Structures are given as C-alpha cells and as structure tokens.
Amino acid sequence: MTGINPWALGVFILFFAATIIIGSSIQWLRGLFGGGKSATVTSDEEWSLGGRQFGAWVTWFLVGGDFYTAYTVIAVPALVYAAGGYGFFALPYTIIVYPFIFLVMPRLWKLAHAGGHATAADLVRARFNSRPLEIVVAITGLVAVMPYIALQLIGIRTVIQALGLPGDIPLIIAFVSLAAYTWLGGLHAPALTAFIKDIMIYIAVLVAVTVIPLHMGGYAALFAGADTSQPVLHAGQGLPYATLALSSALAAFLYPHTLTGILAAKSADTIRQNAVFLPIYTVVLGLIAMLGLMAHTAGIKTDNATMVVPLLFQQIFPAWFSGFCFAAIAVGALVPAAVMAIGAANLVTNNLLPKQKDPVRTSRITALAVKVGALFCVLFLNAKFAIDFQLLGGVIILQTFPALILGLLRVRFSSVAMLAGWAVGGIFGLGLCWMDGLKPIHMVTLGPLSGMISTGLLSLVVNLVVVGLVTLVKPATEAPNMSGVEPQKRTLVS
C-alpha cells in the first residue's frame, strides 16, 4: 500500500460523497423526478419498492446496477488474474440468465402485482398456502444476501485501502456510508443514483481498456506479453467453468435484491424490454474481466488478488483519474448493496414480523441489521477469493428455486415436498462448502470419471430429487393457486 495521494483522495471523496448525499436526500429531490409528488416516505412499499412505478429506463439501470456490482469490477478480474480463463465463467452465466428473465420474470411480476406481493416468500405463500414454507424462503433469502453484501463492502474497502488509508478505517467508512445511504434514501436512492454509477463505471472501463493496452503497445502486445496459460482454461477447469456458469445463472434472480428490481417495475413489458437490452452489460463485463490479464502484462505482483484492479489503475493512470476510477468502483458497490439490504428488509417486514405500526422505520432498522450481518461475514468468513462470497450466497439461495420457479407450473407439488427438498439440499450444499473450505466447487467421482462441479448445482439436484420423491409419496391435496391472490389474503403493509 502506498502513501496517501491528496489528488486521488480528493477526487474520490468528491464523487463518492456526492453520490451518497444525492441518494440520501433523494426524497427532497423527488419533485424534480416525480412531478411534484410528496417528498415524504409514507409507506413501506414506497420505501422498499419505489411505489412499483419504475419504467424501462430506470429499471434498466436499477436491475443492471444491482446485478453488476463489486463482483464485476473487483472480484471477476481478481479471479482472472489468479486463475486465468476460468474467471471468464461470469460471461456465459449472464448470457444464460437473460432468456430466463424474459420468460419467467414477467410471469412472477404479474402474480406479484395481482396479489400485492413484495417478496419471493409472499409469492410462495400465495402459491402453496403454507406459512412454514414462507418462513424458510424468507430466512433463506435473508441469509443468502449477507455474503453478497459482504462482497460489496470488500469492494469499497479495497479501493479505500488503495488510497492509503490504514487499518480498519476503510471497512468502517464502507459500512457507515452504506448504512446512511440506505437508511435515508430507500429504493429511490439506488434507482436514481444508478445513473451516476453506470456513467462513472463506463467512463472508467472504456478509458481503461483503451489506454492500458495502448500503454503496453496494443492488444497484440498485451496478449503476447501475457502468460500463455492465462487466457485459456487449464486442464480440469472446463466442468467447473460450465457448472458455475449454470448454477450462477439459475441463482441470479432468486436473490431478494434482483427480485426487488423486478417487482419495482411498472409492467411486465418493462421487464421484457430490460431482458433484451441487459446484454449490453455483458459486453462491459467482458472488458472488465480483461483487466485481470492486463495486470499480468503490466507486471502487477500481489498475493491479494482483490487489489489487482486498484494497483493496475495506480500504475497506469495519473492520481486524479485513479481517484475517479476508485470512486466509480465504490459507487458500483454502494448502489447494489443498498438494494440488497432493502430486499432483505422486505422479507423481514412482510414475511417474518407481524404488521408494524411504523413499517418504514422497521424496514430501515432491519436493513441496518442485515448490513451488520454482512460486516461479520467480511470479518469472520475466510474466503480465498472475494467472488467466493457471491458463490456461497448462490448455494444458499438456490434452495428456493423449486418453490419459487417450479411453483409457476401447474404440477401439484406439495409444500411438504418443498420443505423437505429445501432442508436436505441446504444441509448437503453447506456441508460440502464447509468441508471444502468455503470453495464453491466439489470433486465428484463416478467410476472412472471425475471432475469439479459447482456445489450450488449439486445441492439443487439433491433438492429437486427430494422434492420429486416426496411429491410421489405425499402429493398435494389441492390444485396449485396460479392467480397470485391468496384464498385468505392477509393484509400487507402498504
């Protein structure tokens, strides 16, 4: 870590603080964006879902903002730097997920809109009429999002460390800034400041992928100078590459934060439009992943792979532009982390607690508690790569796939089968992760064949097998509720 450069620190503070201030005061600025609507948050739905009124433009930035995070800018290049082409699994993963969004998410939105649902657990309760299943889906989402928020805190901490601030100060700044931003702004904060975030990241990335290769003599020289093993998959990496991409795609829109972005849209067509245009983000993701290769050619040497991108920027760019890039990365972590905390708070207020007299305050306190949980993940989970936090969350959240996605089918799956699959799949997946030192892949041997497979995918297969077996033994006694409206609908906070 180098000493503090006043230019880099000053530019970072300017852009990072400006984003926090704008997001935190968004309720006072809503008159500029909402046609003079009240600046006061009067309902939990307004704070947590933005009143379900976001159009195609805002939704595109919001969904992209909480889908492409510090995972993108810090963790993916770090994995490419350490493991070569294996780290590019994030590209096919995002490509796989877009058809899934186009086909499945509009159906979920229609059910949620018809029944006034705000969370995945709401939808599951309406489909299966099961309070226990609602509770386990809510708790699963709550637990799964904490390591994902932890990844965002790591992203903010990493760039602040690169600025030269010592000790635990970077982590404290990351936590306090996120807490203030979310508490005051609600979902309107990340929805509107996502514009700022994306513009900043586009500038930083486009300059980086243009200037850095030129600095090294062009892309031909870049690849010639890189270790020839870096851009390709090593022996034995093909299977984990493919299975991680598939499991990550299946998990991506089960998280509370990604589903919050979907449910905040004003129509099903808005979601379809976003599924068509979201691949633009994948192009940017591919360029960002290339930074891991550029770091090798630039001679970056570090044992902490998460520092690769900051060190590369500091070596190539002038101090003031490094500060701008660091601010872009920090804001790129701040915006999605806020949506994650809000999505988790929705689960608690709607599905785990009784109706509240002051639901907005309860949601704010819950979101703060979730961020504290994420802070503990940073402090006590010893993941080798920052990306492992996201993949660990994927193992957990995939256990809700049968209840939420298979629940859209007209097959008579029982709530007992879903609960059994959730329990067995969750214990199996987390048990493998623990035995493998929190690695998201596990060695599987079938006779002469063996290979590393995504732990999340293995646990999902176990879950689905249990669901199928229990359904055969104890089928559902009534037809599935496909309307989205509960037979005896309890009053949601609104």
Side-chain angles (χ1 to χ4, degrees):
M1 183 178 67
T2 60
I4 297 176
N5 184 294
W7 278 104
L9 183 61
V11 172
F12 174 86
I13 292 174
L14 173 64
F15 284 94
F16 188 55
T19 303
I20 294 174
I21 292 170
I22 292 172
S24 301
S25 60
I26 204 69
Q27 298 303 331
W28 289 274
L29 299 174
R30 281 192 60 205
L32 297 175
F33 301 98
K37 291 183 180 180
S38 170
T40 303
V41 179
T42 57
S43 73
D44 187 45
E45 184 170 288
E46 182 70 24
W47 185 84
S48 60
L49 287 178
R52 302 180 194 258
Q53 61 183 352
F54 296 145
W57 189 244
V58 174
T59 301
W60 187 74
F61 278 98
L62 179 62
V63 173
D66 60 39
F67 194 29
Y68 297 91
T69 66
Y71 162 84
T72 308
V73 188
I74 292 293
V76 171
L79 188 59
V80 171
Y81 175 85
Y86 174 65
F88 282 92
F89 83 88
L91 272 71
Y93 136 50
T94 58
I95 294 168
I96 293 169
V97 84
Y98 299 133
F100 179 81
I101 299 171
F102 187 89
L103 295 172
V104 176
M105 290 299 124
R107 173 62 176 159
L108 277 179
W109 183 92
K110 289 178 180 178
L111 293 174
H113 183 72
H117 306 311
T119 67
D122 285 344
L123 289 161
V124 169
R125 183 189 64 235
R127 165 64 172 78
F128 293 97
N129 193 27
S130 171
R131 175 64 175 161
L133 188 57
E134 173 195 4
I135 291 174
V136 300
V137 169
I139 292 175
T140 302
L142 190 63
V143 173
V145 84
M146 286 186 186
Y148 215 155
I149 298 176
L151 174 56
Q152 313 314 313
L153 290 175
I154 288 173
I156 300 173
R157 180 185 68 178
T158 297
V159 295
I160 296 176
Q161 282 179 331
L163 288 167
L165 297 182
D168 293 328
I169 293 177
L171 187 58
I172 294 171
I173 294 173
F175 178 80
V176 172
S177 60
L178 175 59
Y181 178 80
T182 311
W183 182 282
L184 297 172
L187 192 62
H188 284 285
L192 295 179
T193 53
F195 291 94
I196 301 173
K197 168 249 186 189
D198 281 359
I199 291 171
M200 290 176 65
I201 286 183
Y202 287 153
I203 292 172
V205 171
L206 291 176
V207 171
V209 299
T210 302
V211 172
I212 295 176
L214 289 176
H215 185 81
M216 299 173 182
Y219 271 94
L222 170 67
F223 283 106
D227 183 343
T228 56
S229 66
Q230 284 299 315
V232 298
L233 291 174
H234 300 293
Q237 288 186 337
L239 188 59
Y241 177 93
T243 55
L244 279 176
L246 179 58
S247 63
S248 297
L250 295 176
F253 276 80
L254 302 177
Y255 285 102
H257 61 285
T258 46
L259 201 55
T260 294
I262 293 295
L263 299 184
K266 70 178 182 180
S267 71
D269 284 341
T270 297
I271 298 167
R272 293 189 186 96
Q273 292 168 11
N274 273 267
V276 172
F277 293 108
L278 277 172
I280 296 173
Y281 278 102
T282 298
V283 176
V284 179
L285 174 59
L287 296 175
I288 292 172
M290 290 288 294
L291 296 174
L293 300 180
M294 295 178 192
H296 276 285
T297 305
I300 300 297
K301 302 295 183 183
T302 177
D303 294 328
N304 182 4
T306 59
M307 291 296 295
V308 163
V309 172
L311 291 174
L312 177 64
F313 286 172
Q314 285 180 323
Q315 178 171 308
I316 302 297
F317 296 137
W320 67 270
F321 192 72
S322 293
F324 173 83
C325 293
F326 293 168
I329 295 171
V331 171
L334 185 72
V335 169
V339 185
M340 293 172 194
I342 292 167
N346 288 347
L347 289 170
V348 174
T349 55
N350 282 296
N351 306 112
L352 298 179
L353 296 178
K355 185 176 179 180
Q356 303 292 302
K357 292 182 179 180
D358 188 354
V360 175
R361 179 175 176 81
T362 303
S363 294
R364 284 170 167 164
I365 294 173
T366 303
L368 179 61
V370 170
K371 290 188 280 284
V372 171
L375 181 63
F376 278 96
C377 288
V378 175
L379 294 173
F380 298 112
L381 287 182
N382 184 27
K384 181 178 180 181
F385 298 109
I387 202 170
D388 287 348
F389 282 106
Q390 184 264 345
L391 295 171
L392 177 61
V395 174
I396 298 169
I397 201 64
L398 273 172
Q399 308 316 311
T400 66
F401 183 93
L404 186 61
I405 305 303
L406 296 188
L408 297 175
L409 304 176
R410 295 186 178 275
V411 180
R412 291 194 178 191
F413 295 110
S414 67
S415 60
V416 173
M418 293 298 173
L419 285 168
W422 170 85
V424 176
I427 293 172
F428 178 81
L430 291 177
L432 289 185
C433 285
W434 183 261
M435 289 191 303
D436 295 331
L438 297 184
K439 288 198 304 181
I441 51 178
H442 182 76
M443 175 61 73
V444 175
T445 301
L446 296 174
L449 303 176
S450 64
M452 305 293 286
I453 297 179
S454 161
T455 304
L457 195 60
L458 289 172
S459 64
L460 177 59
V461 169
V462 170
N463 187 329
L464 292 172
V465 169
V466 172
V467 168
L469 291 175
V470 175
T471 298
L472 290 175
V473 175
K474 187 178 176 58
T477 57
E478 58 185 38
N481 174 20
M482 306 302 296
S483 67
V485 180
E486 299 168 58
Q488 295 179 329
K489 185 178 182 302
R490 64 177 182 152
T491 303
L492 290 177
V493 177
S494 61

